[in-house]
Amino acid sequence: MGVLTFQAGRVVLWRAIYAKNHLLNIAKARQKSTATSTANGNATTDDGKTIPMPNTVSALPLWQRLGPLSTGFNAYAGAQSKKPYVTQFCTSLAIYFCGDLAAQSMENEEYNPWRTVRNIIIGGICSIPSYKWFIYLGVSFNYTSKALSLGIKVIVNQIVFTPIFNSYFFGMQSLLSGDGPASAWERIKQTVPISFINSWKLWPAVTAFSFTYIQPQYRALFAGKMYVSRRQRLYLQAAGTVAIGWQSYLSWLNRQAERSRATHVAVSV
């Protein structure tokens, strides 16, 4: 009888100790969960799921709060992912169209639609080669030093692409206006040197920004000559502004050359 009583006492004592330890473990777990919730600003349910609290829910990124602009960025990214060449071609047409409109709006002359058509043709022809160039530049000249890689890309772009592109632009402007090869060469000699010099004031910084923040398929758009991260869609908005501004300048410079030639011909006659 005494043995049975002793065994029963041990069982009761063991259960009491177990229950106490179990309650202590639960209390510690809840205390730890509360501390984690306080640190993260979130609440945790009994099954371990985290519930964001109202004051800790991240605000939407700026690009998602631009209304119609956000919709446009999303549509452009989708089109670029599915049909990059078509998207690049259409983008170039839009940039050259807007660039010439801006240039003509700054001049005290009647609007010349044929001049706009010339710019659109020039932009359409060079759209895919420009796109290919920036893809090539992105995968080339990559060294251990990021600064060295970026510097070489900027220099190569300025020395190789800029004079070739500017010669093409002004030469085609002259040829599409009805001039012969000799007149086109004169136009190139008159406009390319000054446009090349002025390009150094803008495009090294733009190119460096492009290769730092813009994904390869969008660099041709940024230079004006593209799947994309959410943050980069804001950069593309600035890209379009720079591209249109530069094309406006080239269109304006070409018009100055046309005026100079017309004045020279008139004086000669």
Side-chain angles (χ1 to χ4, degrees), residues 38-266:
T38 303
N40 297 335
N42 300 326
T44 305
T45 60
D46 293 337
D47 56 359
K49 295 181 179 180
T50 301
I51 304 175
M53 300 301 291
N55 61 336
T56 63
V57 176
S58 300
L60 288 174
L62 178 59
W63 71 270
Q64 286 185 323
R65 292 181 277 131
L66 297 178
L69 287 178
S70 297
T71 303
F73 292 153
N74 291 333
Y76 185 87
Q80 174 64 46
S81 177
K82 295 177 181 178
K83 298 181 178 180
Y85 291 154
V86 174
T87 305
Q88 288 295 321
F89 180 77
C90 294
T91 300
S92 293
L93 298 185
I95 288 175
Y96 281 74
F97 173 77
C98 294
D100 184 70
L101 285 184
Q104 292 201 48
S105 67
M106 295 184 293
E107 301 168 358
N108 296 323
E109 295 182 352
E110 184 179 354
Y111 173 70
N112 184 357
W114 173 236
R115 174 177 159 182
T116 303
V117 172
R118 291 201 309 264
N119 276 271
I120 292 175
I121 293 173
I122 293 171
I125 293 174
C126 72
S127 59
I128 304 305
S130 298
Y131 171 73
K132 289 289 190 179
W133 165 257
F134 283 97
I135 292 294
Y136 163 76
L137 202 58
V139 299
S140 305
F141 310 106
N142 295 315
Y143 308 104
T144 305
S145 171
K146 292 184 178 180
L148 177 62
S149 301
L150 188 59
I152 296 297
K153 292 175 191 291
V154 169
I155 293 174
V156 170
N157 187 66
Q158 282 297 117
I159 294 178
V160 177
F161 181 80
T162 299
I164 293 176
F165 171 80
N166 289 2
S167 298
Y168 158 78
F169 178 85
F170 293 112
M172 283 294 293
Q173 286 282 1
S174 181
L175 293 174
L176 292 176
S177 298
D179 298 333
S183 297
W185 175 242
E186 289 299 322
R187 178 75 57 83
I188 290 173
K189 290 193 297 183
Q190 184 179 0
T191 55
V192 170
I194 186 173
S195 64
F196 178 73
I197 292 173
N198 287 333
S199 71
W200 283 92
K201 302 174 184 178
L202 172 67
W203 287 112
V206 172
T207 304
F209 182 90
S210 172
F211 281 99
T212 303
Y213 295 106
I214 306 298
Q215 287 193 355
Q217 64 268 31
Y218 294 94
R219 288 169 185 158
L221 164 65
F222 192 85
K225 312 278 183 184
M226 72 176 302
Y227 192 162
V228 55
S229 72
R230 296 173 178 177
R231 183 180 301 175
Q232 287 173 337
R233 293 170 190 171
L234 284 180
Y235 298 148
L236 295 181
Q237 185 180 16
T241 303
V242 174
I244 292 173
W246 181 248
Q247 291 308 320
S248 299
Y249 165 72
L250 293 182
S251 182
W252 173 84
L253 184 60
N254 181 73
R255 181 54 183 161
Q256 301 307 305
E258 289 178 343
R259 288 177 177 174
S260 177
R261 181 177 181 275
T263 302
H264 178 74
V265 171

